[in-house]
Amino acid sequence: MLPEPAPTRAGGTRIVGRALTCAVFALAGLLFYVSAHAARGTDLRTDDSLLRLSDVIRQRSAQNQQVQAQLADLQERAEELAQQQGSPADAALLGALQQGSALEPLAGPGLTVTLNDAPPNATARIPGVPAPGVNDLVIHQQDIQAVVNALWRGGAEGIQVMDQRLISTSAVRCVGNTLLLQGRVYSPPYVIRAVGRTEALRSAVDADPTIRNYLQYVQAYGLGWKVQESGDLSVPGYSGTVDLRSAAGQ
């Protein structure tokens, strides 16, 4: 009986090739399993199932607006009950406290300041000024805050930003190119109204160094800036919650 021939180099190559092929398929299967397990039935190449931060903020803004409307209705009912059950002196004291805490509407002479982004295709309007960057053409948090601070320094009795009355705990925040105020989101133009002595308010605005710097960008790149005086300006009462969640002392 003749001995079996020894395997040739070609046969060995085929065996190694089959082994490598099996290993590749096994690895591919493992990768598919891991991918499917991580995705859990979703598409890993898209983020359709994920809300961007701006979307979340806008969603919360709509919810906050509904809650604030309900809160305003409840506050109005509570005030009616307090007036019915309290004495005239109590009602007068309650009215004074509400006026001081910005819970009541306010009317009188005042100032309206409007800020707006520059046109998207804006270029330098003054010879020698460098071409604007993206941040040069939009309203920033410090611009709005500077106007609000100047109006308070000018003796404003009450300030309204967009459709909301400011109180002592109000904070102006910007997220991207949008304004976040008391849980609601706004886009430019930003309108700020203040009731008070018109001359004093305008003097305070004109003297503010941050506003002066902003006006340089108004001239250079066309950012929006408008100041209007009014003899009969009204701002609404604050309709949000007045609960103090946290405080820190120095």
Side-chain angles (χ1 to χ4, degrees):
M1 183 175 180
L2 297 176
E4 293 183 2
T8 62
R9 294 180 60 186
T13 302
R14 284 195 297 269
I15 294 173
V16 174
R18 292 194 187 99
L20 291 176
T21 301
C22 293
V24 169
F25 279 114
L27 180 59
L30 178 61
L31 291 176
F32 283 133
Y33 170 77
V34 173
S35 177
H37 182 72
R40 296 188 184 275
T42 61
D43 187 356
L44 291 177
R45 292 178 58 83
T46 67
D47 59 350
D48 293 339
S49 61
L50 301 177
L51 289 175
R52 295 178 301 173
L53 177 59
S54 59
D55 296 329
V56 174
I57 292 175
R58 293 185 184 280
Q59 182 182 22
R60 293 294 185 271
S61 174
Q63 295 174 353
N64 289 338
Q65 187 172 1
Q66 295 176 357
V67 172
Q68 286 179 353
Q70 296 173 357
L71 179 61
D73 183 59
L74 293 174
Q75 287 177 338
E76 184 177 354
R77 296 181 185 179
E79 291 169 9
E80 292 176 356
L81 292 174
Q83 292 175 358
Q84 293 173 3
Q85 298 179 2
S87 64
D90 293 336
L93 177 60
L94 177 61
L97 291 174
Q98 289 175 334
Q99 189 68 45
S101 60
L103 297 180
E104 289 296 311
L106 183 65
L111 212 65
T112 300
V113 180
T114 304
L115 301 90
N116 200 2
D117 292 345
N121 57 348
T123 58
R125 304 166 65 180
I126 301 176
V129 173
V134 176
N135 290 329
D136 298 326
L137 304 179
V138 297
I139 304 299
H140 293 280
Q141 175 178 314
Q142 65 265 23
D143 303 325
I144 303 173
Q145 190 66 64
V147 174
V148 171
N149 291 342
L151 293 172
W152 284 129
R153 285 195 300 270
E157 301 174 23
I159 298 179
Q160 172 187 356
V161 177
M162 302 303 282
D163 60 349
Q164 294 199 69
R165 178 78 172 270
L166 298 186
I167 61 175
S168 59
T169 57
S170 299
V172 175
R173 295 287 183 268
C174 284
V175 180
N177 62 340
T178 58
L179 169 66
L180 178 61
L181 177 62
Q182 295 167 170
R184 294 167 60 184
V185 179
Y186 302 90
S187 298
Y190 301 120
V191 181
I192 304 170
R193 297 181 177 90
V195 172
R197 293 178 54 245
T198 305
E199 182 179 351
L201 295 175
R202 180 178 281 275
S203 297
V205 170
D206 293 341
D208 188 272
T210 304
I211 295 178
R212 288 182 177 178
N213 180 69
Y214 173 82
L215 293 178
Q216 295 180 2
Y217 284 81
V218 172
Q219 297 178 353
Y221 305 122
L223 285 168
W225 174 259
K226 187 177 182 180
V227 180
Q228 295 174 292
E229 297 182 4
S230 176
D232 185 16
L233 189 67
S234 61
V235 296
Y238 175 74
S239 59
T241 178
V242 293
D243 293 338
L244 182 62
R245 297 180 181 274
S246 62
Q250 296 289 339

